[in-house]
Amino acid sequence: MALNTLTHESTSTLVRERLAGKKTSAFDQLVALALLLALLSALAVLIVLLADVVRKGMPVLTDRGFEFVTGRLNPEASEAGILQGIMGSLALTVFVLVIAFPVGVGAAIYLEEYAHDNRVTRIIQANIRNLAGVPSIVYGLLGLAVFVKLLGGMTGGRTVISGGLTLGVLVLPIMIITTAEAIRAVPQALREASYGVGATQWETIRHQVLPVAMPAILTGTVLTIARAFGESAPLLLAGARLSLFFSNSTDAGLWDLVSSEPYTALPIVVYNWARQPQKEFVELTAAAIIVLLILLLAVNAGAIVLRDRYERR
Amino acid sequence: MALTDTSPQTMDLTGDPKRLAREARVRRVFLAASVISIVVSVAIILSLVGEAWNFLTKIELGDLNENGWFPRRGRFQILALIVHTLVISAIAMAVAAPLGLGAAIYLSEYARPNVRRVLKPSLEVLAGIPSVVLGFFALTFITPNVVKNLFSSASQSNFLAAGIAVGVLIVPLVASVSEDAMRAVPTAMREASYGLGAKRWHTSLRVVVPAAISGIVAAMILAVSRAIGETMIVALAAGTNGIMTLSPLDGGLTMTGAMAQLAIGSDQVAGAVAAFQSLFFVGLVLFFMTFALNVLSERVVRRFRNKY
């Protein structure tokens, strides 16, 4: 594959330059320009978006600084902060990790290492592909019907547990697909050598396959986390508070906070504020978006660092 | 026969039973993990179908043909939501198809490796922007600065701004799936084309693109599916009008928009049971539309792929 792409780059360049020389036609260059423009205009939107958000939100961050990040939700724009959103998002992330990582990796190991190519396996695979294409808000309905209502006795209803389970289930198919790809990329010779010296299948997976696949699995996991971190549609239905303010009891323990207290998430805060017509809230929203994007950037940078560390070993 | 006497004792090759038992246990655990995905699908379908059925038994079927979508007043014109969804998806595709495909062709056929190394991750950054952020951008930038500038009659919430934002959101999807399809076209075909004296545009547009057409079409179908299911942008920027309209300059509820709208009011709507359950009915329709599109896109790839 790598060889193939390599020859593709070099031969086409070589053949083109040798045959056409410098006599590339004007039309040819026009087409190249148009295609490049398509790509650049998409990126231009990205740049305009970032510039616009920074322009609108920076004043709030410079004026209020740390107080904005550590403040609680408040209908009064000048008092409102995003602490509850950040805490909610972090708690949800922990749940997503605890659910999606073990189940996702386990399912991927089964599909890649154990499953025979039979009807059941094909059904499971098709099912996972379809789940990955289900709109996120439909997972919200699942969360509402199952985690908030049906299992409300266990999850506490509209709590972080319900929201975390919903997001965990949402990212599960992506988790399985990326992990399966990582495992598939491990050379077969490694497994054969391991069996050759008498290792069992599990020993082979545990000591040969997983260590080699781990950088890619972890990178995929972190990117999946990033996806869950920015997700808001399912949380609209799975119990996040959609009001401009709510209070947690101040002496609630950690378990109470996840199992009985109301919660929200940073993207939900963004959504709530974006709906407010006042100019102050536009600025607040932009400021919250800046924090959200910085956190996402940090998560993604974490993915790169993780991958580098594992690959160097 | 003497040989049998000297032969070694038959060795027990079945191995340590403890080790084997552990192997079987581990295997069962992994099987259980992969079966969870089936459980999730079943749970989705059951919860959608169950409540949607309750909804249909609770209302008069004629209510589905009432003018407009006003769940709290017992008017459930699902067609209005579907039409609005399709208007937004059409606008989104008008943006995403040319931009995404152009970007894909450029990255696959034109970009030098070092240019590609910069541009491709930038597209991935765009893909990583949360949709709620694009919704805010549509509401506070695209509508006032773009749409209102071009069409002063446009309303504050309009399909055009929301559709453009959804289009920007799905450009990376179109680009990456189409690019994968084009990079899978064998180099030999390009070389043959150059060998026959074809120019570069001819090679990429008339040889590589047709060869990769199944993947490109699949990418477009997937993108439509994604656009239909996109929630946060339309919830913020497309408005809350329940009356059917086709004008891109007007706003209105889409399927996902209506669901978000019901979710916002879910505290108050607890009494109005049918309104709450209509959420699941809309969800079911949405689920089937996206499911059909996803299956279609897979079929296209399998059926029309040229094998080289």
Side-chain angles (χ1 to χ4, degrees), chain A residues 13-30:
Chain A
T13 313
L14 193 79
V15 169
R16 183 169 27 80
E17 281 171 3
R18 279 289 157 79
L19 280 179
K22 293 289 164 201
K23 294 178 287 178
T24 40
S25 74
F27 184 70
D28 219 2
Q29 287 183 331
L30 210 65

Side-chain angles (χ1 to χ4, degrees), chain A residues 4-5 8-9 11-12 15-17 19 25 27-28 31-32 35-36 38-43 45-46 48-49 52 56 103 106-107 109-110 114 123-124 127-131 133-135 137-139 141-142 144-145 149 158 169 172 198-203 230 232-233 236-237 242 267 270-271 274-275 282 285-286 289 292-293 296, chain B residues 19 22-23 26-27 30-31 33-34 36-38 40-41 43-44 47-48 98-99 102-103 105-113 119 122-123 125-126 128-130 132-134 136-137 139-141 168 171 183 187 190-191 194 199-201 205 229 231-232 235-236 256 259-260 263-264 267 276 279-280 283 286-287 290-291 294-295 298:
Chain A
N4 185 29
T5 51
H8 156 46
E9 306 287 359
T11 24
S12 65
V15 169
R16 183 169 27 80
E17 281 171 3
L19 280 179
S25 74
F27 184 70
D28 219 2
V31 171
L35 294 172
L36 181 60
L39 179 55
L40 291 182
S41 53
L43 295 181
V45 176
L46 176 66
V48 171
L49 183 154
D52 182 56
K56 285 177 178 141
V103 178
I109 290 176
Y110 180 79
Y114 288 97
I123 288 175
I124 294 179
N127 180 53
I128 289 168
R129 278 197 306 275
N130 282 322
L131 276 182
V134 171
I137 195 164
V138 172
Y139 282 95
L141 288 173
L142 171 76
L144 176 60
K149 303 255 163 188
R158 299 175 60 184
V169 170
L172 184 59
T200 62
Q201 189 163 19
W202 167 235
E203 286 160 357
S232 29
L236 291 179
L237 295 166
L242 300 167
V270 170
Y271 171 63
R275 280 160 49 211
V282 172
T285 315
I289 288 174
L292 175 65
L293 291 181
L296 280 175
Chain B
R19 217 172 158 207
R22 191 186 59 189
E23 285 297 310
V26 167
R27 186 193 156 98
F30 289 144
L31 175 63
S34 67
I36 286 181
S37 68
I38 303 268
V40 170
S41 294
I44 288 178
S47 51
L48 289 181
L99 293 191
I105 299 173
Y106 186 82
L107 284 176
S108 164
E109 305 301 314
Y110 285 82
R112 285 160 185 279
L119 290 182
S122 326
L123 265 185
V125 171
L126 182 58
I129 299 284
V132 70
V133 175
L134 273 162
F136 172 76
F137 183 65
L139 188 65
T140 62
F141 188 90
V168 170
V171 163
R183 286 178 82 85
T187 313
R190 297 181 182 87
E191 285 164 354
Y194 287 129
K199 290 248 166 30
R200 197 168 198 193
W201 71 267
L205 299 186
T231 304
M232 300 318 287
L236 279 174
T256 53
M259 290 163 79
I264 297 166
D267 292 330
F276 170 74
L279 197 58
F280 290 85
L286 175 67
F287 176 80
T290 52
F291 178 75
N294 294 343
V295 170
E298 234 174 75

Side-chain angles (χ1 to χ4, degrees), chain B residues 210-231:
Chain B
I213 198 69
S214 67
I216 293 170
V217 171
M220 298 297 169
I221 299 172
L222 271 187
V224 174
S225 163
R226 181 75 67 83
I228 287 177
E230 170 46 41
T231 304

Side-chain angles (χ1 to χ4, degrees), chain B residues 4 31 42 75 144-145 173 182 211 224 241 249 262 265 268 305:
Chain B
T4 45
L31 175 63
V42 172
R75 287 157 65 181
N145 299 337
L173 174 76
M182 280 187 280
V224 174
N241 179 16
L249 300 181
L262 279 164
Q268 298 93 304
R305 177 163 44 198

Side-chain angles (χ1 to χ4, degrees), chain B residues 131-249:
Chain B
S131 63
V132 70
V133 175
L134 273 162
F136 172 76
F137 183 65
L139 188 65
T140 62
F141 188 90
I142 302 181
T143 295
N145 299 337
V146 180
V147 175
K148 291 256 192 183
N149 264 351
L150 296 174
F151 311 96
S152 53
S153 66
S155 55
Q156 182 57 33
S157 301
N158 56 73
F159 294 138
L160 189 56
I164 292 172
V166 174
V168 170
L169 183 80
I170 57 182
V171 163
L173 174 76
V174 175
S176 86
V177 179
S178 316
E179 197 212 340
D180 286 347
M182 280 187 280
R183 286 178 82 85
V185 173
T187 313
M189 290 188 67
R190 297 181 182 87
E191 285 164 354
S193 172
Y194 287 129
L196 289 170
K199 290 248 166 30
R200 197 168 198 193
W201 71 267
H202 200 280
T203 305
S204 34
L205 299 186
R206 308 291 295 274
V207 175
V208 177
V209 168
I213 198 69
S214 67
I216 293 170
V217 171
M220 298 297 169
I221 299 172
L222 271 187
V224 174
S225 163
R226 181 75 67 83
I228 287 177
E230 170 46 41
T231 304
M232 300 318 287
I233 294 174
V234 296
L236 279 174
T240 55
N241 179 16
I243 299 281
M244 194 193 307
T245 169
L246 279 169
S247 162
L249 300 181

Side-chain angles (χ1 to χ4, degrees), chain A residues 92 140-141 143-145 147-149 156-164 166 232-243 246 261-265 268, chain B residues 263 266-267:
Chain A
L92 289 168
L141 288 173
L144 176 60
F147 301 132
V148 176
K149 303 255 163 188
R158 299 175 60 184
T159 61
V160 169
I161 298 183
S162 297
T166 307
S232 29
L235 296 177
L236 291 179
L237 295 166
R241 297 297 151 143
L242 300 167
S243 45
F246 62 86
E261 293 289 315
Y263 78 100
T264 191
I268 295 285
Chain B
S266 60
D267 292 330

